[in-house]
Amino acid sequence: MTALRTITHHARRGLEIIKPAVHSRPQTTRAFSATIRRSGTCADQGSPFRSASFCGSSFGMILASFAVASAYLFHEQSTVQCEAAETPSLRQQRLISYDEVQKHATKDDCWVIINGLVYDMTDFLEAHPGGPSAIIQQAGKDASSKFTLLHPPDAIATLPPEYCLGAIDPETVPAPEEQELTEDDIRQAAAKEAMPPAADMLLVQDFENWAERVLSTTAWAYYRSASDEEATFHGNRDAWRRYFFRPRILRGDMSQGSTTTTFLGIPTSMPIFIAPAAMAKLGHPLGEVNLTKAAGMSGIVQAISANASCSLEEMFDARLEGQPLVFQIYLNKDRSASSALIKRVTQLGASAIILTVDVCWQSKRTLDVRAKLGEMNNVPAALSPTAPVAGVKGKSVSEAISGYQDSNLAWSDIAFVKKHTHLPVIIKGVQSVEDVQLCVEHGAQGVIISNHGGRQADYAPAPIDVLYELRELRPDLFSKIDVMVDGGVRSGADVVKALALGANAVGIGRPILYANGTHGEEGVERVLKIFQEEITNTMRNIGAKRIEDLKPEMVGPMGPWVGRNRPSYAPVTGPP
């Protein structure tokens, strides 16, 4: 991937496209509550979408988007200083030449340039969550492009101040060399030229189909990857097709209705939320900020990933007035870091904390690993999870961002999180009825039935199946804890099935990343609009004007409801 290796000659052109978006602020304060109220009108009403700025640009400008943050710092800041710039020694220090940086390019003596500053990373190599090789590959070079793509901008501030040696002398930095387009670059460019506008996407699947064509190999592999043979991934999607509706008729005037609801007391225009998903900058240079803005305009909740590629402040600052954000956390091996982070997001104004507990061990996310192998061996990475690729295994994107996560998790960790916040705590990754009960007993306010999108244990149960088991075996638990679900959801009909069975809300993950990768903020707004349309259409066509009209007897296993296939909650005779 050329964009990941260097800042090309297109950087200045790309900067002119992205800079207005970086600097833009709403001219007036837009109220989040007003967006929610609009959802109660007829299904064919909706706010117009803004025209896309990202997908309409030339390929050269798109290529440069990966280097925008570093280019922005270089061109727009009058001075660049280390965190410890107040000390006299650093104030008086001369600029460091590029030639000097190049002399420190080994494992035992490793300097890198990040956003105009020179860092000695030698002592940090073994502590780097992504492993030492990721830094060593950039030793003696400008690593700004790769750093910006994989890290929030405030990540560098976590290093000890003494790691920062000073500023690079811009007069000594060589001009970027012209780069020959790779096959991947050419493929992306052709696909972007052929891609229709966001408004022409009619199904959620349309965004996924185009994302496979227009995203870089690395981005697609990370977003689409699943564990091992991908049985869980495919099972998630297939499971939704095993549940069918039992529509009820003659329920009165269906021309009006509403999809507004709440979960954990948080208001939302429709019963979906953006599930926590990392690395949105792999698909678009503005990353998770696009998701925040689209969620605000659509009146729904965004769950922020602990591994987001934008900073917390960037996302919280992008909110509309009153817009709720939920924060997802993995517990750190250093629990003091986790407690500090929980307190930080609480102070920033998060509405709830999601504790993800289903990453007990780093899985092999096949496409992601193959993409890394292809990069290391300088061969195109296979897009099929079963295609063989030889070579030494390097760290995939998912491995590179997860090294800090603790695999030593216990039920007492719920109390640990609750100790450091007054916010509701949601446990994500629940995969059995028994563990829903235990979440109740340990004081959680919500659960997300999820198998991590098929990215952890292969052959784990589909979330919709666990939800059905919960309805059949322990319906009493729905009144004791808020139940959410995610995994394999690709239509509004899927959402309505979950709601009828008792879920309070449904998380949408990959479709959001795909839409962001194809059309940016406009794409995310459009995919959310498709869900809104399909939820409304499905509800009214099965006899439900409002969320509270949905009942378990409106959905169940496919096929005739006779014998053992008949749900226990299905009425025998008479009206519901």
Side-chain angles (χ1 to χ4, degrees), residues 120-351:
D120 183 349
M121 306 296 282
T122 310
D123 293 338
F124 180 68
L125 292 178
E126 295 302 326
H128 182 232
S133 62
I135 300 178
I136 294 172
Q137 289 172 6
Q138 303 298 315
K141 305 175 185 176
D142 190 335
S144 301
S145 180
K146 272 199 171 182
F147 176 85
T148 301
L149 188 64
L150 296 173
H151 304 81
D154 57 354
I156 197 69
T158 63
L159 291 175
E162 59 268 24
Y163 281 29
C164 181
L165 304 178
I168 189 72
D169 184 352
E171 299 297 325
T172 65
V173 177
E177 296 181 0
E178 194 80 29
Q179 295 291 319
E180 183 178 351
L181 295 180
T182 66
E183 291 184 9
D184 205 35
D185 298 332
I186 296 170
R187 172 188 63 79
Q188 287 181 265
K192 289 180 186 295
E193 288 293 326
M195 184 174 66
D200 288 352
M201 302 291 189
L202 298 181
L203 300 173
V204 174
Q205 185 65 37
D206 292 343
F207 285 100
E208 181 170 350
N209 294 341
W210 280 102
E212 184 174 7
R213 297 177 61 181
V214 305
L215 289 176
S216 68
T217 298
T218 296
W220 172 255
Y222 175 68
Y223 291 164
R224 166 57 184 79
S225 64
S227 62
D228 301 340
E229 296 180 314
E230 302 188 338
T232 301
F233 170 82
H234 293 292
N236 283 352
R237 185 72 195 101
D238 293 341
W240 290 100
R241 299 188 178 100
R242 295 199 297 267
Y243 294 85
F244 275 64
F245 294 110
R246 287 295 188 271
R248 302 307 302 269
I249 61 173
L250 302 177
R251 293 296 180 98
D253 183 9
M254 287 292 171
S255 63
Q256 297 291 324
S258 175
T259 60
T260 59
T261 187
T262 64
F263 62 97
L264 290 169
I266 305 171
T268 177
S269 67
M270 53 180 157
I272 64 174
F273 62 94
I274 296 178
M279 306 308 298
K281 279 187 181 179
L282 284 177
H284 191 283
L286 297 183
E288 286 82 4
V289 167
N290 281 341
L291 278 57
T292 304
K293 292 181 176 180
M297 292 299 294
S298 303
I300 70 165
V301 175
Q302 175 195 9
I304 296 173
S305 169
N307 292 327
S309 50
C310 292
S311 70
L312 285 171
E313 285 73 15
E314 286 177 305
M315 290 177 281
F316 276 87
D317 288 347
R319 290 185 298 174
L320 303 183
E321 181 182 1
Q323 178 183 344
L325 295 177
V326 171
F327 182 74
Q328 173 265 335
I329 189 171
Y330 296 101
L331 290 185
N332 199 306
K333 295 170 185 175
D334 176 3
R335 292 304 170 90
S336 65
S338 292
S339 61
L341 181 56
I342 294 168
K343 293 175 183 177
R344 180 182 171 198
V345 296
T346 301
Q347 293 171 351
L348 283 171
S351 296

Side-chain angles (χ1 to χ4, degrees), residues 77 118 140 187 278 317 329 504 549 555:
Q77 291 188 352
V118 180
R187 172 188 63 79
D317 288 347
I329 189 171
N504 298 90
D549 296 333
V555 68

Side-chain angles (χ1 to χ4, degrees), residues 355-429:
L355 173 61
T356 297
V357 297
D358 57 359
V359 184
C360 310
W361 191 255
Q362 180 61 49
S363 63
K364 177 180 63 187
R365 299 179 183 177
T366 311
L367 277 181
D368 195 16
V369 174
R370 289 192 189 283
K372 183 62 178 179
L373 289 173
E375 180 183 320
M376 293 181 66
N377 290 283
N378 198 29
V379 297
L383 292 180
S384 167
T386 57
V389 177
V392 179
K393 182 181 181 296
K395 288 213 172 190
S396 62
V397 174
S398 58
E399 292 171 314
I401 64 176
S402 61
Y404 70 92
Q405 293 168 205
D406 196 353
S407 60
N408 181 16
L409 301 176
W411 287 104
S412 58
D413 288 318
I414 297 178
F416 169 81
V417 175
K418 291 172 69 70
K419 176 183 177 181
H420 298 290
T421 184
H422 64 275
L423 299 175
V425 175
I426 306 166
I427 307 303
K428 184 178 186 293

Side-chain angles (χ1 to χ4, degrees), residues 4-200:
L4 294 178
R5 288 193 296 266
T6 186
I7 302 176
T8 72
H9 73 290
H10 300 291
R12 287 183 174 84
R13 296 174 62 195
L15 178 64
E16 295 306 313
I17 287 180
I18 304 299
K19 188 168 67 174
V22 173
H23 286 296
S24 66
R25 293 290 186 270
Q27 298 301 311
T28 58
T29 301
R30 299 164 296 181
F32 179 80
S33 57
T35 307
I36 295 178
R37 287 195 297 270
R38 286 198 297 271
S39 68
T41 60
C42 295
D44 59 351
Q45 295 178 352
S47 57
F49 295 110
R50 296 179 295 279
S51 60
S53 60
F54 178 70
C55 62
S57 59
S58 68
F59 173 67
M61 295 176 181
I62 294 171
L63 184 65
S65 64
F66 293 102
V68 164
S70 54
Y72 172 75
L73 285 167
F74 182 80
H75 287 284
E76 296 299 303
Q77 291 188 352
S78 57
T79 59
V80 184
Q81 295 182 327
C82 295
E83 290 294 315
E86 300 92 308
T87 61
S89 60
L90 282 176
R91 275 205 308 269
Q92 298 167 6
Q93 188 178 34
R94 64 178 176 82
L95 295 176
I96 301 172
S97 71
Y98 189 80
D99 287 342
E100 179 65 25
V101 174
Q102 289 183 300
K103 297 176 183 178
H104 305 268
T106 68
K107 180 179 180 181
D108 298 323
D109 186 12
C110 180
W111 291 13
V112 297
I113 304 168
I114 298 176
N115 296 338
L117 296 173
V118 180
Y119 292 86
D120 183 349
M121 306 296 282
T122 310
D123 293 338
F124 180 68
L125 292 178
E126 295 302 326
H128 182 232
S133 62
I135 300 178
I136 294 172
Q137 289 172 6
Q138 303 298 315
K141 305 175 185 176
D142 190 335
S144 301
S145 180
K146 272 199 171 182
F147 176 85
T148 301
L149 188 64
L150 296 173
H151 304 81
D154 57 354
I156 197 69
T158 63
L159 291 175
E162 59 268 24
Y163 281 29
C164 181
L165 304 178
I168 189 72
D169 184 352
E171 299 297 325
T172 65
V173 177
E177 296 181 0
E178 194 80 29
Q179 295 291 319
E180 183 178 351
L181 295 180
T182 66
E183 291 184 9
D184 205 35
D185 298 332
I186 296 170
R187 172 188 63 79
Q188 287 181 265
K192 289 180 186 295
E193 288 293 326
M195 184 174 66
D200 288 352

